[in-house]
Amino acid sequence: MALPLLAAKPPCNSRKCTTTTTVSPDVVLVSNYATPQLAANAAANKRLVFPSGRTYTVNELLIPAGCHVEGNGSILKTPNSSTTAVSDDSILRVGGNGVTIDGLKFDGNIQNQDGIWNQHRHQVSVHGNYSNIVVRNCEFYNIIGDGVYINVGSGGNNGHTIEVRDCTFTAANNNRNGVSVTSGTNVHVHHNTFTNMARPDMPGAIDVERNSASDIIADILVEYNTITRAALPGTGSRYGILACMFNCVGTNIVFRNNDISGAGLNAACLVIGDNSGTFNASTISITSNNIHDGGWTGVELNYGIKADVTNNQFTNLYNAIVNYFSSLGDISGNTYTNVIRQLA
C-alpha cells in the first residue's frame, strides 16, 4: 500500500536543512551573492537590498540604471593602503539613469592610506550623461576626495535631475569637498549637514565649479544645509559654498536658507569670475542664509562677476560682504549684528 505523500517525506535534519525566504522578483538581496558587485549586476531596474549593519570593502561598485539601493545602514569602505598618486576612482559609481542610493554609509578610510592622499578618490560618483539620480539618507565620513562627485552634461549636454539630500558629511579638514558639481543642470543639494570639510588647499563643503569652458552649469539649488568648519590646528581656512565660474557662464545658481558658521571658514560663500578682466555673466543669488560666527567673511565676490546678496543674516563676522574687482547686484534686506564691516 502506498504511503501518504507527507509520510513519505523524510524528517528534516536541522544541521543540513536551510530556510529560503521568498523574494519578490524585483528585489535582489546582496546577501544571496558572493560579492556586492555580483548582486548589483542583477539589479538593473530592481531594488538592491543590503543587509542591516554589514561592512563591505569595495572599489568602483557599479550601480546599473533603474536600480534603487536600500542600504539599511551597511558600510561601504575603501580598501586599506589603496591610494596612489594616480588614483581616480570611487567607492560607488552610478552607471545609468534612474538610480537611487538610500541609507548607505560610506567610509573613505583616509586614515589607513599610508599617508598618501589623492583628491580624485570619491565616495559616490555620478559621472556621465545621467538623469533622475537621488542620493539620500547616507553618511559620508573619513572622506578622501569628495563625498559626492557630480559631473553630468560634460561637453554641453543638459536636461538632468540630480538630488543629494538628508545626508551627513564628516571630515577633519582633510578632504577635498563634501559635494562637487563640475557640470550639470537641475542639481538640488538640500537638508544635508557638513562638518569640517576641505584641506587648506581645497575648496570647501559644496563646490560648484566647472571642469571646462564647454560644460553647462545651470539651475543649481543649494538650500537648507548646515555647514560648520572648525579651526583645527594646521588646517588653515576654506569655504562653505562656492560658485567658481572662471570662463564658464552659470545660469540660475541659488544658495538660500543655509546655516553656515565656523572659525575655520575664510568665507561662508565664495563667488569667483574671470581674473582676465572679462565680465562673467553668470546669474547667481545668495539669499536668506544665516551666516554667523565665521573666521573672517560672510560673502566674497572675486574677479568680474555679479551676484545678488539679499535677506541674509550676518552675525559675529569681520566682513559681511567683500567685493573684490566684481559687481554687486541687489544687496537689500540683509541684517548685520556685531559685524565690523558691512561692505568691503
Side-chain angles (χ1 to χ4, degrees), residues 88-110:
D88 188 355
D89 56 4
S90 58
I91 296 175
L92 180 151
R93 182 177 295 272
V94 170
N97 296 324
V99 169
T100 295
I101 310 298
D102 188 2
L104 278 170
K105 298 179 180 180
F106 294 89
D107 182 356
N109 198 18
I110 189 173

Side-chain angles (χ1 to χ4, degrees), residues 52-190:
S52 177
R54 288 282 302 276
T55 298
Y56 299 89
T57 300
V58 297
N59 180 254
E60 291 284 285
L61 175 61
L62 184 65
I63 303 301
C67 181
H68 184 120
V69 178
E70 294 182 13
N72 292 310
S74 275
I75 300 169
L76 302 185
K77 184 177 181 180
T78 298
N80 290 349
S81 305
S82 58
T83 302
T84 71
V86 296
S87 291
D88 188 355
D89 56 4
S90 58
I91 296 175
L92 180 151
R93 182 177 295 272
V94 170
N97 296 324
V99 169
T100 295
I101 310 298
D102 188 2
L104 278 170
K105 298 179 180 180
F106 294 89
D107 182 356
N109 198 18
I110 189 173
Q111 69 277 18
N112 291 307
Q113 302 303 316
D114 304 324
I116 301 172
W117 184 81
N118 189 311
Q119 66 171 306
H120 301 296
R121 301 209 79 185
H122 311 309
Q123 297 188 325
V124 170
S125 289
V126 186
H127 191 180
N129 191 20
Y130 302 138
S131 189
N132 299 320
I133 308 300
V134 179
V135 180
R136 68 188 186 197
N137 304 315
C138 292
E139 297 179 24
F140 300 86
Y141 52 93
N142 297 327
I143 305 167
I144 299 175
D146 300 336
V148 178
Y149 172 77
I150 299 168
N151 183 343
V152 293
S154 250
N157 295 317
N158 56 28
H160 308 88
T161 301
I162 312 293
E163 183 180 18
V164 180
R165 67 176 177 88
D166 298 303
C167 296
T168 61
F169 299 81
T170 307
N173 298 353
N174 57 352
N175 65 313
R176 186 171 83 163
N177 302 308
V179 173
S180 287
V181 182
T182 64
S183 177
T185 59
N186 301 312
V187 178
H188 192 189
V189 181
H190 64 103

Side-chain angles (χ1 to χ4, degrees), residues 296-323:
W296 190 247
T297 296
V299 175
E300 181 177 342
L301 309 182
N302 284 347
Y303 298 117
I305 196 164
K306 181 179 179 180
D308 292 331
V309 183
T310 61
N311 300 307
N312 299 284
Q313 300 177 48
F314 295 104
T315 306
N316 297 332
L317 301 165
Y318 188 83
N319 302 306
I321 303 171
V322 169
N323 181 23

Side-chain angles (χ1 to χ4, degrees), residues 18-63:
T18 59
T19 301
T20 301
T21 303
T22 301
V23 178
S24 169
D26 66 348
V27 172
V28 175
L29 300 181
V30 173
S31 58
N32 284 350
Y33 290 79
T35 67
Q37 187 61 70
L38 290 174
N41 292 345
N45 299 306
K46 297 181 180 181
R47 301 181 81 85
L48 179 65
V49 181
F50 281 80
S52 177
R54 288 282 302 276
T55 298
Y56 299 89
T57 300
V58 297
N59 180 254
E60 291 284 285
L61 175 61
L62 184 65
I63 303 301

